Amino acid sequence: MIASNMDTVGTFEMAIALAQQQWITCIHKHYTLEEWDAFVATTAPEVLRHVAVSSGTSDADLEKTRLILQKYGDRIRFVCLDVANGYSEHFVDAVKYARRQFPTHIIMAGNVVTGEMTEELLLSGADIIKVGIGPGSVCTTRKQTGIGMFPFALFVSWSSTKITAKLIHQENVLCILSPSFYATIAAIHMYV
């Protein structure tokens, strides 16, 4: 299970609590570098293994992520690149940049809802794809942009592509999904 990087969910406190169950928490991007320093200094290494540094695609977001991982990348394994709507060349370029900058980290990227874009993000360097645009009960994307699609749309379009991926659904708590139950279990064990 993976807790979302929403500012009310992806908190340091949530990471400490969920790490006890070996769940991953995508820490929201609004913490300062000083807050990250304090968290890492007072947190058990086992918790840090279950934390993702979240980033948007702005230069400032990516630079902050780089600085966090420059300091703590040997303890933190996950990067979460998150945008409301992943259908842009700018987002694909950010995924490629993240793969170059963080070659040993597990990169989550999204949000998308089609097999074609899932494949594009995988080819660009993402390891885990976040699916669904605006389907969450507290997500404001659909209201703010008029765009939204549930993850089921991905499975319909996925059947026309030949991709295998670890997928997660955007909501307060996320699950790793796969075409088969056994591949899901394998993906969970691979990353936890």
Side-chain angles (χ1 to χ4, degrees):
M1 297 294 281
I2 301 174
S4 170
N5 58 319
M6 292 171 47
D7 59 1
T8 57
V9 177
T11 64
F12 292 143
E13 297 80 13
M14 184 70 75
I16 293 166
L18 294 182
Q20 295 173 24
Q21 304 303 317
Q22 296 190 353
W23 290 10
I24 298 165
T25 301
C26 295
I27 303 296
H28 68 70
K29 69 178 188 172
H30 305 292
Y31 283 119
T32 65
L33 292 172
E34 293 77 19
E35 289 170 313
W36 270 98
D37 290 339
F39 172 65
V40 172
T42 60
T43 302
E46 184 58 28
V47 172
L48 297 176
R49 284 181 31 94
H50 294 89
V51 163
V53 178
S54 295
S55 177
T57 60
S58 73
D59 290 342
D61 284 349
L62 292 169
E63 177 62 10
K64 183 165 67 170
T65 299
R66 189 189 67 75
L67 292 171
I68 292 166
L69 291 177
Q70 182 177 16
K71 278 181 144 177
Y72 308 116
D74 60 330
R75 294 178 253 178
I76 297 172
R77 304 181 305 157
F78 298 96
V79 176
C80 177
L81 295 178
D82 179 68
V83 295
N85 181 346
Y87 289 85
S88 74
E89 189 172 328
H90 180 72
F91 184 61
V92 171
D93 289 342
V95 172
K96 290 176 182 177
Y97 169 84
R99 176 49 61 212
R100 285 191 310 272
Q101 289 294 309
F102 318 117
T104 62
H105 286 77
I106 298 162
I107 298 175
M108 300 177 222
N111 294 293
V112 299
V113 294
T114 62
E116 292 79 13
M117 198 60 186
T118 297
E119 187 172 23
E120 179 70 27
L121 294 177
L122 290 168
L123 293 172
S124 297
D127 299 297
I128 298 173
I129 307 302
K130 295 175 61 181
V131 298
I133 296 177
S137 61
V138 295
C139 183
T140 60
T141 300
R142 205 168 346 144
K143 291 177 185 172
Q144 291 177 347
T145 67
I147 298 170
M149 185 152 310
F150 289 89
F152 180 72
L154 175 69
F155 299 108
V156 172
S157 72
W158 197 16
S159 64
S160 67
T161 64
K162 302 283 188 215
I163 59 174
T164 301
K166 294 158 286 290
L167 303 170
I168 54 179
H169 171 270
Q170 175 194 342
E171 180 53 89
N172 291 347
V173 178
L174 309 168
C175 299
I176 297 175
L177 304 172
S178 154
S180 77
F181 172 78
Y182 297 108
T184 300
I185 299 304
I188 291 168
H189 285 288
M190 185 164 84
Y191 290 122
V192 175

